[in-house]
Every structure is written in C-alpha cells, then in structure tokens.
Amino acid sequence: MSGAALGLEIVFVFFLALFLLHRYGDFKKQHRLVIVGTLLAWYLCFLIVFILPLDVSTTIYNRCKHAAANSSPTESSNITGLYAAATPVPSQHPCFKPWSYIPDGIMPIFWRVVYWTSQFLTWILLPFMQSYARSGGFSITGKIKTALIENAIYYGTYLLIFGAFLIYVAVNPHLHLEWNQLQTIGIAAANTWGLFLLVLLLGYGLVEIPRSYWNGAKRGYLLMKTYFKAAKLMTEKADAEETLEDVMEEVRKVNESIKYNHPLRKCVDTILKKCPVEYQEKMGRNMDDYEDFDEKHNTYPSEKSLVKLHKQVIYSVQRHRRTQVQWQILLEQAFYLEDVAKNETSATCQFVHTFQSPEPENRFIQYFYNPTVEWYWECLLRPWFYRVLAVVLSIFSVIVVWSECTFFSTTPVLSLFAVFIQLAEKTYNYIYIEIACFLSIFFLSICVYSTVFRIRVFNYYYLASHHQTDAYSLLFSGMLFCRLTPPLCLNFLGLTHMDSSISHQNTQPTAYTSIMGSMKVLSFIADGFYIYYPMLVVILCIATYFSLGTRCLNLLGFQQFMGDNDMTSDLVDEGKELIRREKRKRQRQEEGESRRREWKERYGHSREDSTRNRNVHIDPKESNFSDISTNRSSKYTRANNRTERDRIELLQDAEPLDFNAETFTDDPLESESGRYQPGGRYLSMSRSRIFDDV
C-alpha cells in the first residue's frame, strides 16, 4: 500500500476538478487553453487539500520512528513490551507504518512541484490568459500585444517594490540575504496576501453556509427569495437584451459601410461570426453589393474601433445567453417550490408535478424515487435533514472560530483541532488522524471556496453553473484558488500545531512546511501577522450574522434580499407576478400541444386513408372518372367540411399575449422596436400591423 493512497487521490481529484469545470465551463465553445489552464489550477488546489492529511500522518510516523531510534535500547524494549501486551504490533517498536505511508523523499518533491506550478499559474500565466481572453484583437499577435501591455502596467508596481527592497538590502551592510532567504520572503509575501483575503472569505462562509441550510428548511423563505431573484433577473435580462440590440445595431452599420473589397472586411466577418444566428441571417455578409469603396469621400471605422466593437460583441452575446439560461433555470426552481408548497397539504402522500420534466428520467431513478418517496423526502424528511445539518455545521463553525483565536497558545493547548490530533497521536491511530484532518481542512475549504463561487463582482466576475461562465471568470477563479490554498493549508497546520513556528517545538516539520522555509527571516510576519490577524474572523462572523454587508449594499442602491424591507416586498410581489404569467403561458402552450396531438390522432388517419385511396387502383377508363369523382365528392362533402372547419377553428384559437421579456420583433435589427418600456411591455408587442393587407 506504500504510495497507493497517493496515486488514488491524484486520480480522484483530477476527475473531481474535471466534473466541476464541466458544470461551470463550456468545453465546446471556450478555448482549449482556457479550459486547460483553469483545470490545472483547480486540480492543483484540490490536490493540496486532499493530500495534506497524508502528509500529516506520515510526519507523525516519522516523528515516532525518530524518537524510537534516539531512545536507549532498554527504554525501547520496555516500551515495546508494554505496547505488545496491549496490542500486537508487527514491528519492534510502537511506531507501525500507516496504511497510507508515503516513502521518504517523495512528498518534498511533490509539494515543491505543486506549489511552484500553482504560483506560476496565479501570478504569470493566468493573468496573461485573462487579458488574452478579454482582448478584442483579430489576430494572435494583436491579442498577445494587448495582454502584455495590460500585465506590464499591473506588475510594474510589484517589480518596483521588489527592486527597491533589493537595493535596500544591497546598500545596508548589516543585511546579508541568500537565495533561500529571498525565496522565503517571496513565499511570505504571497501567503500574506492570500491570508488577508482568506480571513475575509472564511468569516463570511462560517456563518452563511449553516444559515443557508437552516433557511433551506423554510419553504416560504426559499419561495420568497426565488420570487426576489426572478424580479432582479428579469431586470438584468431586459438590460442584456437592450445592450445586445445596441451592439448589433453598431455591427449592422459597420457591415453596411465596409464593402466586400475593403481591407478591414475580414475583421467585420470575424465580428459577424460571433453574433447570434438570427442577426447573422438578417445582416448577411453584404456580398451582393459590388460597389468599390472610396477612401476620399467616405469615412470608415478604424481597426482600433473594430477591436473595441469585437470586444463588446463577445461580452454582450455571452451575457445575453447567460441571462436566458438562468431565467429558464429559475423558472424551473420556482415551479418546483410552488409544487412542494401545494403537495405539503396532500392527503394522498403522492408528489404531483405541475409540469413534466422535458428530459426523460432514468428508469432506475423512477423505480426507487417514485412519487411517494419524493413526497416523503421533499415534504417531511428534507426540512429536518437540513436543520440537523445546519446545527452540525454551526458546531464546526464555532470550533473553527475558537481555534483561530487560541491556536497560538501551546501551554495549555486551547485549539480544539490540536487537542484532537494530539490525542490521536498518542495512540497512533492514523485512520482517525487522517479522517480528522480531512474533515477539518475540507470544512475550511468549503467555507472559502463556496464564497468564491457565490460572490459576484458586478458583471466582470461571476461563476454561473450550467456551462454559462465566461473565460475571464474561469481564469479569475483559478487565480483565487491558487492564491488562497497555500495560506489555507498553513493556517490549518497552525490550528493543529503541526507547524513548528506555532508550536515552538524542535520536532520534525511536515513536508509542506519544509518547502515554505523558516519565517524567522520576517519575524514581524511570523510572530505578528500570522498569529493575530486570523482573530479578525470573529468580527467578520458577527458582521455576517447581522447582515451588515447586505444592509450596506442595500443602502447603496444594490437591492438585496431582506425580509424587513419595503423594496424587497415590492420585488417579491413583482417576481411572483412574473412567475404566475410564465406559468400560465406554459400551461397554454401545453394545452395547445395536447389539442394538436388530439387533432392529429382524430383526423390524421382519415387524411392518410383518403390520400392512399386516391392514389391506388385508378380506373384506366376515363369515362368513369367523372362519375367516381362526383360520387366521392358528394359522399364525403360533409365529413371534409367538418374536418376543414375544425382545422380552421384550431388555427384561429389565438392565445392572448402576456408579458414576456424574451419577445423580440420580427426584425431584430430595427433600432427602436425592441426597447423595454417602464410599463412592463415592449413596443414590439403593442405595434399594430396596419400594412399587412397591402
């Protein structure tokens, strides 16, 4: 089993990162380099979290083996005899190898490769790929040039500070820094930046995650919040549609002005390929006009303006597609929560859906997760399960907050994480050590990473599920993960007193802390910032519990869901009305489809039979043709008239038009026909077609 656990976790973590990236990214439409870069960043960060418990158990075994080797033979034999009387041990001393033991020399090399690769990604490669992905250039050279300029401005300040520090060290005769010390200073600077952001995200996640599960047990709360989201998303959706129409209008003007033989026509064709299909069909390629361009009399857009327009097209199309998908997902959630509220009072204990799922369910799932099981789970068991889970997570949060405030105390040991690990270390229970370490660091990672997935910086950074995350947000999340994971692991090792700089013991460090170097070079960071700054998590947890950040954003004009606010109540009512109209619209669509199917079943076979009888066994004698046709027409006149009358009634069964922000005009390129009006309707909906009969 030596090294087998390491190999299994490496493979498992890779598929875990691939699954999450498939959920948020789009493998078919996004660039392969973006997918590979994000996957590598997520994979390395998750790998550090999963492998660190193995490093802890291996370090505890090495400490025990080192202590047994340095003890006297008499003491060693006595210890062996006492331990053998209690438990049979295959070795000659109480330090037996754990099942997941990793041989010496592997972990330092492994951590060094993983750490420096992640740092290269987060500080050099991913920022460059971000600028490359956002660039509107039409060639690889142009995109690389734009990315280099943006990153040169951003990293120029870092190089300036580092250069000033090197000059200060070279001038001061009392300071003599070697390469290892400079490496440690660089690691300390990166970890300090990451720890500063880590505490902010951790303070939010420790409170918000248990509270989200507690509120998840409240059906009324979830339904009201869904209505609130619907009202906000509709506003964002209308704004995305208006922005897309404005950008498409600019593209149309450029497409009409730049002719087929203009040098910039290739750039225009590249922009047209990024537009939606309906707009491409309207605009075409403008190849039917063979008029030569005249540089003296006409003004044409420059290549720089086309680059800017290309960037706007990419952003507006991505945002429009994302809002459309999110609106459909939110509708499904609202319909399902309304079904749960209706089925809670059901006496049959059978869960009834208002709308059937468009995708066929698996037979295995249908057999075990039948309507009865679904009713008991959704209406009875799930609320209680969420409440119990919220209580357990709250206990974990309290343990983390207490340990963050007391982990610097070694005599007595006040950190609960350190107490648990030391108790397991005395009995050499490696399974318990690895489980305790994994659960602890996994909970810390969930609190931090879930906050990264939840936060939204306007429209520049937003991780949207169902393959709707853009390349810039994916790369930015990879940067955050690579910067947050190393300080997160160091903070965990400090909580468990596995870091010698915290425990102040002359013991063998873990392989992970050994590559970080000794922080004694920067004593004010090792003995000050790393110890006392995590205490700030208490203040952040209190602020999150009382929703101070939400209230501040609400005062600034960013509507947030707050139960005791008039604006929230208005948005909830608006969202409820939107969901009701969409529900009625879908019901009418299903009723129309059922009537069409019924009409085909009733009259489709008779039409096929009449057509078949008309085409077979034709009498060659033309003298009888007129009689046969006359008799047939007189025989079936009433039936055909009835069929035609039913068909006309079905086609004339016009559906009333409700509010629907997805409604576009017939011509998407009309400049003012699709503008959203404050009254809740589009101009395209109320426009009468008075020239249809002309």
Side-chain angles (χ1 to χ4, degrees), residues 18 87 111 182 200 212 221 229 248 268 299 308 322 334 392 397 426 455 520 535 557 570 614 620 657 661:
L18 187 65
T87 306
W111 287 129
L182 289 176
L200 298 178
S212 63
Y221 177 87
K229 289 181 179 179
M248 291 299 104
V268 177
T299 58
K308 183 179 179 180
R322 185 184 67 212
V392 173
S397 298
K426 292 179 181 179
I455 59 176
K520 294 181 180 179
M535 296 182 185
D570 295 339
R614 190 182 300 114
L657 184 60

Side-chain angles (χ1 to χ4, degrees), residues 287-325:
M287 295 298 293
D288 54 345
D289 189 358
Y290 291 95
E291 178 183 356
D292 294 337
F293 71 95
D294 189 0
E295 296 182 354
K296 296 182 179 180
H297 298 87
N298 298 330
T299 58
Y300 298 97
S302 61
E303 185 177 359
K304 187 176 181 180
S305 62
L306 291 180
V307 169
K308 183 179 179 180
L309 180 61
H310 187 204
K311 187 176 181 179
Q312 292 176 351
V313 168
I314 295 174
Y315 169 75
S316 60
V317 171
Q318 172 66 27
R319 186 187 175 196
H320 178 262
R321 186 186 303 116
R322 185 184 67 212
T323 53
Q324 296 289 335
V325 175

Side-chain angles (χ1 to χ4, degrees), residues 595-661:
R595 287 198 300 268
R596 291 185 182 91
R597 287 194 299 267
E598 182 181 358
W599 182 81
K600 289 182 179 180
E601 292 175 359
R602 291 176 58 184
Y603 305 109
H605 297 291
S606 61
R607 290 184 60 190
E608 293 177 359
D609 295 339
S610 62
T611 304
R612 189 182 301 110
N613 294 330
R614 190 182 300 114
N615 294 330
V616 298
H617 300 293
I618 299 177
D619 194 347
K621 298 180 180 180
E622 295 181 359
S623 59
N624 297 330
F625 177 78
S626 59
D627 298 335
I628 295 174
S629 60
T630 304
N631 295 331
R632 181 178 299 170
S633 60
S634 61
K635 183 177 182 180
Y636 294 103
T637 298
R638 181 171 300 178
N640 290 335
N641 290 337
R642 181 179 179 183
T643 304
E644 188 68 23
R645 185 169 59 252
D646 291 341
R647 186 188 310 169
I648 294 174
E649 288 178 359
L650 178 64
L651 295 177
Q652 290 181 348
D653 188 12
E655 305 288 347
L657 184 60
D658 271 349
F659 174 87
N660 185 9

Side-chain angles (χ1 to χ4, degrees), residues 59-91:
T59 302
I60 292 176
Y61 169 73
N62 291 332
R63 288 179 181 178
C64 178
K65 184 174 64 174
H66 181 71
N70 293 335
S71 62
S72 60
T74 305
E75 295 177 354
S76 177
S77 61
N78 293 334
I79 295 175
T80 306
L82 292 174
Y83 189 81
T87 306
V89 182
S91 59

Side-chain angles (χ1 to χ4, degrees), residues 20-39:
L20 291 177
L21 184 59
H22 174 70
R23 177 177 175 81
Y24 287 90
D26 192 347
F27 292 170
K28 297 181 180 179
K29 296 181 180 180
Q30 290 173 342
H31 200 278
R32 294 182 179 179
L33 293 179
V34 174
I35 298 297
V36 172
T38 307
L39 177 62

Side-chain angles (χ1 to χ4, degrees), residues 367-533:
Y367 180 77
F368 288 97
Y369 196 66
N370 50 44
T372 303
V373 176
E374 186 176 4
W375 186 88
Y376 277 102
W377 167 250
E378 292 293 342
C379 300
L380 293 180
L381 299 179
R382 188 172 184 175
W384 287 104
F385 174 76
Y386 274 17
R387 291 189 183 99
V388 173
L389 183 60
V391 172
V392 173
L393 294 177
S394 300
I395 295 174
F396 268 95
S397 298
V398 172
I399 294 175
V400 170
V401 173
W402 171 263
S403 300
E404 291 285 357
C405 297
T406 60
F407 74 94
F408 59 88
S409 177
T410 57
T411 52
V413 179
L414 299 178
S415 175
L416 296 179
F417 290 106
V419 172
F420 297 152
I421 298 301
Q422 289 179 5
L423 289 176
E425 186 177 358
K426 292 179 181 179
T427 59
Y428 300 100
N429 192 344
Y430 297 109
I431 300 295
Y432 173 80
I433 291 173
E434 292 176 2
I435 292 176
C437 291
F438 176 75
L439 291 178
S440 302
I441 194 172
F442 183 74
F443 178 72
L444 294 174
S445 303
I446 290 296
C447 293
V448 175
Y449 293 161
S450 63
T451 309
V452 174
F453 280 97
R454 289 185 181 186
I455 59 176
R456 177 176 181 176
V457 184
F458 299 103
N459 289 318
Y460 294 99
Y461 171 73
Y462 181 40
L463 289 177
S465 58
H466 298 83
H467 321 289
Q468 297 305 313
T469 306
D470 57 350
Y472 182 86
S473 299
L474 286 176
L475 295 172
F476 190 75
S477 66
M479 291 171 53
L480 286 180
F481 285 162
C482 291
R483 297 182 186 184
L484 291 171
T485 304
L488 173 66
C489 295
L490 283 179
N491 182 256
F492 165 74
L493 294 175
L495 295 177
T496 57
H497 288 185
M498 295 298 296
D499 190 354
S500 59
S501 61
I502 301 298
S503 61
H504 302 289
Q505 296 178 0
N506 189 13
T507 56
Q508 181 180 359
T510 60
Y512 186 80
T513 55
S514 64
I515 68 167
M516 296 295 175
S518 177
M519 295 300 173
K520 294 181 180 179
V521 180
L522 301 174
S523 58
F524 66 94
I525 293 180
D527 299 332
F529 184 78
Y530 283 175
I531 293 177
Y532 297 106
Y533 179 73

